[in-house]
Amino acid sequence: MPDEEGTMRSRTPDIEPDEERFAEEVGAAFTEMRARHAACPDPAMVLAAEAGTLPEETAAAVFNHLAQCAWCRRLRADMADPELLRLDADAARRIRARVLTSGAELPHASRWLEWTRPRMLLPLGVVMVAVVAVATGIFVNRTGPTVKPGPTAATPTAAPPANGSSLATPSSALRLEKAPVKLPLGAVILRRGETGSDRDRLLSDLRPALVPYRDDNFARAAAMLDVVARKHPTSPEPRFYLGVCRLFLNENDQAATDLEDALRLARGEQAEDAAWYSSLAYQRLGKTEQAVNHLRRLCEGHGGYAERACTAIAEIHPSTPAVPKK
Amino acid sequence: METFEALYRQHVDAVFRFAMRAVGRRDVAEEITSDAFIALFRNLDRIDAAQLPAWLFTVVKNRAVDHWRRQSLEQRYLAKHQAVQSPDSVEPIESWLFRHKALKPVHRICLVLRYVHNLSRAEIAQRTGLSEIQIKGHLRYARHILRRELLKVAR
């Protein structure tokens, strides 16, 4: 039954059916509560007043109100809860990416040092020996990327939204993490019809482009990888890393295209990597069905992404039936 | 002078926490934290390390003041404040919300922002940094607790 303020739906357009039921069951109590606190400031203003960032007159009004309102004093304590003020890993990555992309040029001797990361400078002669290591693939450490709590300096972030791309509701399982280049660049599959010299040329072109990638300079890496990808149109690696870079730059449309190209060209575990990042791009674009299609194949497989893919499906598309375990 | 990287790592947490208090929105807090470090980078040669983190906090504060100036929120509050005064005592349901051990600050904040201040889940996400799915989960949990307790009272 609507109250004097109108229905809950009119006040909060994204209301769920259970919230409407809740409003019917206990609506009177909350209506009264809202009326009692009609003069209360937005909780954010309370902390801002204490931080000295509100205009003087407003801050004075807030402090005056706080002196009289026990409810706001208690809410203020909640708003200052360390958990709500914490710099989480995602926020840390976004801030870092923004600082990096704004401060790309370094005119002074004092440099932005790269995060601690081993150099990979193995000679090309390792190519043949590294065929044995190919089983783990070039894209990703096969133990699977894991989400670590707290700021993770080695894990970069995505830039603020660009290209007008709207971000779909994020999934906690489908989080963007940089695919590390962990193996020597010599560990690359020789494909049918390819000669050692073809792969040598790819490696020779790819290696310099992956230096800014490792340094989280995604704008520069993307520019270089784009050139390499055009030069080697049948190789999935440049397209894959280019797609990952574009995800970090929030160029989601282009990321989806590059990753689909990489997926089309890749095999085995490389294809799984491309499928995972493709699903992330589609999910960001709000193309849930395409994302779920990729995730379903990963979930049904036995690769390193299976568990995360199944969890991601449950989060972003709860109506999708659970995949029976094999 | 330490490298920029070392200074960034040393101060980013504290600067962000201050930014969150200063503006109350995660998206804006991230933006002005980034701005502060970009400003530091551009002025690195002119700043004494002893001036940090105060210098960074000042940049954040200035940006936050600009942010609030652009908002009409504080102006609407001033108008409301002049019209209505809240009672000092905390009525039963409000004090129960703070007393109940099953409700953490994050649950209360989601509940209050949603059902008292009528914010959408997207708006709550901007404030808290939680995802909309997490907010849905917290609200569902809080409603469950509330229903259970209110039913007890009714009996």
Side-chain angles (χ1 to χ4, degrees), chain B residues 19-124:
Chain B
M20 272 297 292
R21 287 174 174 267
V23 294
R25 277 180 57 165
R26 278 210 165 231
D27 53 346
V28 178
E30 286 178 24
E31 202 177 299
I32 62 180
T33 301
S34 308
D35 287 348
F37 282 98
I38 290 167
L40 174 64
F41 179 77
R42 290 180 180 149
N43 292 280
L44 202 58
D45 288 349
R46 290 190 281 276
I47 296 169
D48 187 336
Q51 294 175 268
L52 302 174
W55 189 91
L56 291 162
F57 289 158
T58 302
V59 175
V60 165
K61 189 170 173 178
N62 291 341
R63 295 281 192 281
V65 167
D66 292 340
H67 163 75
W68 284 108
R69 279 205 193 108
R70 288 192 296 268
Q71 303 297 305
S72 57
L73 192 67
E74 50 92 12
Q75 290 158 12
R76 286 201 300 271
Y77 169 65
L78 266 185
K80 258 195 328 186
H81 177 77
Q82 280 147 17
V84 182
Q85 295 298 318
S86 295
D88 188 29
S89 62
V90 178
E91 296 290 336
I93 187 173
E94 287 94 314
S95 61
W96 176 87
L97 283 173
F98 285 103
R99 249 196 350 264
H100 203 290
K101 290 191 174 101
L103 291 178
K104 292 185 194 164
V106 67
H107 300 128
R108 279 192 292 271
I109 291 296
C110 287
L111 207 116
V112 168
L113 292 178
R114 180 76 167 160
Y115 302 126
V116 178
H117 293 275
N118 298 323
L119 297 189
S120 67
R121 282 192 293 276
E123 287 168 325
I124 299 173

Side-chain angles (χ1 to χ4, degrees), chain A residues 25 42 68 86 115, chain B residues 9 26 88 115 127 147:
Chain A
E25 291 162 10
D42 185 308
Q68 299 170 54
R86 187 177 65 90
W115 305 117
Chain B
R9 290 196 202 205
R26 278 210 165 231
D88 188 29
Y115 302 126
R127 302 290 188 86
R147 277 187 173 114

Side-chain angles (χ1 to χ4, degrees), chain A residues 301-322:
Chain A
H302 298 289
Y305 290 107
E307 186 179 339
R308 286 183 74 184
C310 295
T311 303
I313 291 171
E315 286 181 354
I316 67 175
H317 207 258
S319 59
T320 299

